Amino acid sequence: DFQNVSISSSNSNCEDSVNLINTTGYIKRFDSKNSAKDGLDIDYSNIKIDKVFINKTNNDCLDLSGGKYEFVELHLSECGDKALSVGEKSFVKLNDLQIFKSTIGLSSKDSSIISINNAKINKTELCLEAKRKKQEFSGGIINLNHHDCNDSPINIDPGSFINYY
């Protein structure tokens, strides 16, 4: 159970720079740079984080599975695969999302729901995707208030949805 802590990591050679499993609580700030694989991986948790800054990962910057997550600000840059990957029945509430230079900006999959107030996504091969990856789940859902994909494409698989408000 985290209460008002800050976490940082740099130059990690592990599969996940930081991996939180079955955790709860509040994290004030998370920083990660130069990760060999994922910058931050959180599984089966109920966490609120005010500010996240992840820069230069060779895989996903932020990978969330099977939980409830709330973020005030996410700043994700130079992610080798996905900037934000959400799966396995996760519920994510996000106020401000900034993504720069990633293969995929945001991926909602496998019965996950992401609600975002404001998203600015630059220099991605694919801005947004909603899909089903594993057969035991349904598709993904993304709810957006304001977004700017800077002309990057969007992919929506059958049974998945992206809702604009």
Side-chain angles (χ1 to χ4, degrees), residues 103-105 121 124-129 149-156:
T103 303
I104 298 171
I121 301 171
T124 59
E125 293 176 21
L126 185 64
C127 181
L128 306 170
E129 72 175 359
C149 281
N150 288 291
D151 298 323
S152 290
I154 293 170
N155 182 56
I156 307 167

Side-chain angles (χ1 to χ4, degrees), residues 36-103:
K37 302 284 182 177
D38 290 350
L40 176 59
D41 189 335
I42 310 176
D43 304 305
Y44 314 109
S45 297
N46 186 351
I47 293 280
K48 178 181 180 182
I49 304 177
D50 279 347
K51 296 182 181 190
V52 175
F53 297 89
I54 301 175
N55 180 260
K56 294 184 181 175
T57 65
N58 287 329
N59 198 37
D60 298 339
C61 275
L62 178 56
D63 187 356
L64 306 171
S65 297
K68 293 182 181 178
Y69 308 98
E70 184 177 348
F71 301 93
V72 177
E73 293 179 36
L74 284 182
H75 300 270
L76 311 173
S77 61
E78 299 183 54
C79 311
D81 189 12
K82 296 170 201 72
L84 176 57
S85 177
V86 180
E88 297 182 6
K89 292 186 181 179
S90 290
F91 296 92
V92 176
K93 182 179 174 186
L94 174 54
N95 187 50
D96 187 43
L97 173 64
Q98 305 285 323
I99 294 173
F100 178 76
K101 215 174 189 182
S102 177
T103 303

Side-chain angles (χ1 to χ4, degrees), residues 133-149:
K133 184 176 176 182
K134 298 178 181 175
Q135 244 178 333
E136 63 266 30
F137 297 103
S138 60
I141 297 172
I142 300 172
N143 299 315
L144 291 165
N145 267 343
H146 304 283
H147 78 287
D148 183 358
C149 281

